Amino acid sequence: MFDETESAQTKLKEFFQDKEVRPIRLFLNSVGWGGPSLALGLDDPTEHDEVFDINGFQFVANKELLAEVQPVTVDFKNVGFEIASSLKPMASGCGGCGSSGSCG
């Protein structure tokens, strides 16, 4: 299952107002101190993707990733898009951050 809230739909309409509407990819972002998280980007679907047409927008996600994280809901809060899913938080492996100034 893949869904978007009204606030996300409104922000997407604003974003694409003067641009060509492109497919929006859900992907696993492994960059950052908090560990892996879900993110959005513009990308065309591939044969390995599930495609969802929701309120005039096309969302794409890798089938294997989607099986691990669904249900997915894309929302927009004051600071940006938030993605609710069943993705389990993972340990970042950075226990020394803040005390030594480096991760390793």
Side-chain angles (χ1 to χ4, degrees), residues 12-60:
L12 288 171
K13 284 181 180 178
E14 287 176 15
F15 176 79
F16 285 113
Q17 186 173 9
D18 59 349
K19 300 170 187 69
E20 176 186 350
V21 176
R22 303 244 347 256
I24 304 161
R25 175 170 297 281
L26 173 75
F27 66 95
L28 187 63
N29 182 8
S30 59
V31 178
W33 291 3
S37 63
L38 294 173
L40 300 173
L42 302 179
D43 192 19
D44 293 320
T46 71
E47 63 188 39
H48 304 287
D49 292 329
E50 187 82 30
V51 179
F52 301 91
D53 291 311
I54 304 172
N55 299 317
F57 296 103
Q58 190 176 67
F59 291 88
V60 298

Side-chain angles (χ1 to χ4, degrees), residues 45-87:
T46 71
E47 63 188 39
H48 304 287
D49 292 329
E50 187 82 30
V51 179
F52 301 91
D53 291 311
I54 304 172
N55 299 317
F57 296 103
Q58 190 176 67
F59 291 88
V60 298
N62 178 278
K63 292 175 186 176
E64 290 181 23
L65 173 64
L66 192 60
E68 295 291 322
V69 301
Q70 68 181 345
V72 172
T73 301
V74 177
D75 193 8
F76 186 86
K77 304 285 185 182
N78 293 336
V79 295
F81 287 98
E82 291 184 6
I83 303 162
S85 77
S86 64
L87 178 67

